[in-house]
């Protein structure tokens, strides 16, 4: 397999099972090539602890840990929230929009280091291989990409663990708790083991399963209120306090987590053609979507609101499919930004045992007019006008009926 032209490889490194064994595997299969590990910090927390020592110990020449949190939130998360994009009605795209920002930075480092190739640990069955590689193609179209899962001898995570043990590589997992997880500031995903059978109920109350919060059953018996302020579709305050973008997500994760918010069990349609079952924890993101949707109810006119909801599905598909760096996604974001010009105001939500309950919304740009909408006497709406409107609106139906065309 050795490619003598490859002397230096930049590896997308998480320190998990796959990337931990990829370092020695690369050196074995590419004539002792230099491996530079890169970890994009998008909120993995303690998963980054001890990463440099581990990477060096397993054969990497160096490790970059790049803080991408602010860029991740402001340039990827918030545009997706503003679009209202949710994949297949349930998945809030936590892994999907984290990959482009990480891959972009990896390309920048690969170019600076004069690397011959970029390597990732994505499986040949997953979506992430597409997301990483499309981003790489966008910024380094001629860069060689190495994807070991497509070519190496390991056929299962069991075999990977055995290889790691043989090489003396320490792992934070074992054969009994070997869920495939992806964690960032926005969410935590769980796949594999008992979750592979959709008939099995997830063990939400099992110690160590949920990490970002508690199950609804374990949440407090008293509801908690939270008020979020938006400026042009972007959250800027929580409970009246100005809050920086990354801290917005962190604070809402804390609030939502303790109230059992944002736990989703979904069998999704992967990009590569199969169905896959996963459990996602997205406490803060779920709150943010609910609040933004509520504010749009009073700030957007009917046609814009309805059209935007249709667009949201396409936007979600693009993000899910790894097409962030495409003209269509950019054009859609431009449209979304124009719709957010007056999406400013406060949304109050009541959180109770996994439920988000609307508790009030206000905006200086609200299109809701109480005087017009009231059932009481008013002076701004002449109800007699509706008769002529209905006659014209229903004229096509009347013509078809008179022709005997209504079945």
């Amino acid at each position: 397999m050795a490619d003598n032209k490859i002397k230096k490889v930049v590896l997308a490194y998480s320190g998990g099972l796959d990337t931990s064994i990829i370092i020695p595997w690369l050196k074995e299969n590419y004539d002792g090539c230099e491996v530079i590990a890169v970890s994009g910090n998008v909120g993995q927390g303690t998963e980054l602890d001890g990463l440099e020592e581990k990477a060096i110990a397993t054969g990497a020449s160096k490790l970059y840990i790049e803080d991408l949190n602010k860029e991740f939130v402001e340039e990827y998360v918030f545009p997706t929230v503003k679009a209202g994009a949710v994949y297949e009605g349930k998945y809030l795209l936590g892994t999907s929009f984290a990959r482009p920002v990480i891959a972009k930075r990896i390309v920048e480092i690969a170019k600076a280091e004069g690397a011959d190739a970029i390597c990732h640990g994505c499986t040949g069955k997953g979506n992430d291989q597409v997301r990483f590689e499309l981003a790489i193609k966008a910024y380094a179209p001629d860069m060689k990409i190495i994807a070991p899962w497509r070519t190496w001898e390991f056929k299962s995570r069991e075999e990977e663990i055995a290889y790691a043990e043989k090489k003396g590589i320490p792992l934070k997992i074992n054969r009994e708790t070997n869920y495939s997880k992806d964690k960032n500031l926005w969410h935590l995903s769980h796949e594999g083991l008992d979750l592979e059978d959709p008939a099995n109920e997830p063990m939400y109350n099992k110690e160590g399963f949920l990490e970002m919060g508690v199950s609804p059953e374990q949440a407090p018996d008293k509801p908690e209120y939270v008020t979020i302020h938006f400026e042009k579709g972007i959250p800027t305050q929580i409970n009246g306090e100005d809050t920086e973008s990354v801290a917005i997500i962190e604070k809402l994760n804390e609030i939502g987590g303790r109230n059992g918010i944002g736990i989703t069990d979904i069998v999704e349609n992967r990009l590569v053609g199969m169905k896959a079952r996963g459990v996602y924890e997205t406490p803060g993101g779920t709150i943010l979507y609910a609040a933004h949707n509520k504010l749009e109810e009073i700030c957007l006119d009917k046609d814009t609101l309805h059209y935007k909801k249709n667009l949201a599905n396409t936007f979600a598909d693009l993000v899910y499919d790894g097409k962030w760096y495409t003209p269509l996604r950019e054009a859609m974001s431009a449209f979304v930004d124009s719709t957010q010009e007056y999406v400013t105001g406060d949304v109050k939500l009541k959180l109770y045992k996994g439920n988000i309950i609307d508790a009030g919304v206000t905006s200086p740009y609200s299109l809701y007019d109480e005087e017009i909408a009231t059932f009481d006497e008013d002076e701004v709406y002449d109800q007699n006008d509706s008769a002529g409107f209905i006659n014209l609106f229903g004229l096509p139906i009347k013509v078809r009926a008179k022709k005997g065309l209504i079945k």
Side-chain angles (χ1 to χ4, degrees):
M1 182 184 293
D3 187 338
N4 293 328
K5 294 181 180 179
I6 295 178
K7 305 296 183 183
K8 185 183 291 188
V9 179
V10 169
L11 169 66
Y13 183 73
S14 68
L17 174 59
D18 295 331
T19 57
S20 292
I21 67 171
I22 281 176
I23 295 176
W25 184 87
L26 283 171
K27 299 177 79 68
E28 287 177 0
N29 288 274
Y30 290 90
D31 286 343
C33 65
E34 180 184 358
V35 179
I36 298 171
V38 179
S39 293
N41 179 5
V42 286
Q44 297 93 314
T46 58
E47 291 183 9
L48 299 173
D49 295 347
L51 217 55
E52 182 173 11
E53 180 182 354
K54 181 177 181 180
I56 301 301
T58 51
S61 62
K62 68 177 76 171
L63 170 70
Y64 288 88
I65 297 181
E66 302 293 293
D67 187 352
L68 304 174
N69 281 286
K70 188 175 178 66
E71 182 181 355
F72 174 48
V73 172
E74 295 181 0
E75 297 185 24
Y76 299 82
V77 174
F78 284 171
T80 305
V81 173
K82 287 192 293 184
V86 180
Y87 185 69
E88 296 189 337
K90 297 178 75 173
Y91 174 43
L92 299 187
L93 299 164
T95 300
S96 308
F97 51 32
R99 296 311 186 222
V101 65
I102 295 171
K104 181 182 178 183
R105 184 62 183 133
I106 288 171
V107 168
E108 292 169 351
I109 291 173
K111 288 181 175 180
E113 287 282 355
D116 304 303
I118 292 174
C119 178
H120 64 74
C122 306
T123 74
K125 288 185 175 181
N127 303 305
D128 281 345
Q129 57 181 336
V130 181
R131 297 164 183 157
F132 268 115
E133 294 188 28
L134 291 190
I136 293 169
K137 291 180 187 299
Y139 288 97
D142 297 323
M143 181 70 69
K144 181 175 178 58
I145 298 171
I146 300 174
W149 258 106
R150 299 176 194 158
T151 60
W152 65 10
E153 61 272 28
F154 311 120
K155 303 302 180 185
S156 68
R157 291 174 70 81
E158 287 284 325
E159 293 182 9
E160 288 184 275
I161 293 174
Y163 179 81
E165 291 172 344
K166 177 182 176 182
K167 294 291 184 179
I169 299 172
L171 300 173
K172 295 181 180 179
I173 62 174
N174 57 55
R175 285 181 168 83
E176 287 70 42
T177 61
N178 186 22
Y179 285 109
S180 176
K181 296 187 178 186
D182 177 75
K183 183 178 183 180
N184 60 41
L185 181 67
W186 185 250
H187 88 155
L188 173 64
S189 65
H190 309 256
E191 293 180 323
L193 297 182
D194 56 300
L195 297 179
E196 291 190 344
D197 184 351
N200 292 332
E201 180 181 4
M203 296 180 288
Y204 296 128
N205 293 322
K206 180 181 179 180
E207 184 177 356
F209 182 75
L210 296 178
E211 297 182 25
M212 297 184 73
V214 300
S215 68
E217 297 95 327
Q218 295 173 319
D221 293 329
K222 182 179 180 181
E224 179 175 357
Y225 287 87
V226 60
T227 299
I228 302 170
H229 178 75
F230 291 84
E231 290 285 339
K232 296 185 177 183
I234 296 174
T236 59
Q237 294 180 353
I238 297 178
N239 294 330
E241 295 185 7
D242 290 339
T243 309
E244 183 268 335
S245 59
V246 174
I248 286 270
I249 308 300
E250 293 173 335
K251 183 63 176 178
L252 290 178
N253 279 339
E254 177 186 333
I255 295 171
R258 63 175 173 251
N259 286 285
I261 303 296
I263 301 170
T264 301
D265 180 357
I266 178 175
V267 176
E268 69 196 58
N269 288 292
R270 281 185 177 170
L271 171 59
V272 293
M274 69 185 73
K275 290 184 181 289
R277 197 270 188 99
V279 171
Y280 297 100
E281 297 179 62
T282 322
T286 302
I287 294 172
L288 208 52
Y289 265 85
H292 183 261
N293 288 342
K294 189 63 182 177
L295 185 58
E296 285 193 327
E297 284 183 11
I298 66 170
C299 292
L300 296 186
D301 64 278
K302 174 185 173 181
D303 288 344
T304 301
L305 182 65
H306 287 193
Y307 187 82
K308 185 171 176 290
K309 287 185 181 298
N310 291 331
L311 174 144
N313 290 326
T314 301
F315 195 105
D317 286 344
L318 289 174
V319 177
Y320 189 86
D321 292 348
K323 295 181 178 180
W324 186 270
Y325 303 116
T326 60
L328 180 56
R329 199 284 307 165
E330 292 170 359
M332 284 186 167
S333 284
F335 166 78
V336 168
D337 285 344
S338 72
T339 69
Q340 302 298 290
E341 181 69 21
Y342 300 108
V343 182
T344 294
D346 293 278
V347 180
K348 186 178 182 181
L349 301 171
K350 180 164 68 173
L351 313 178
Y352 182 66
K353 289 188 175 296
N355 295 290
I356 300 178
I357 303 164
D358 296 333
V361 55
T362 61
S363 170
Y365 305 112
S366 174
L367 300 180
Y368 178 83
D369 189 321
E370 186 175 352
E371 191 173 2
I372 292 177
T374 182
F375 283 97
D376 295 329
E377 183 178 356
D378 66 85
E379 298 179 357
V380 298
Y381 186 97
D382 187 344
Q383 297 194 30
N384 289 323
D385 290 343
S386 63
F389 164 74
I390 295 171
N391 285 335
L392 295 177
F393 192 65
L395 185 57
I397 296 175
K398 183 177 180 179
V399 170
R400 284 176 57 83
K402 294 180 72 172
K403 295 288 186 179
L405 301 177
I406 302 294
K407 296 181 180 178

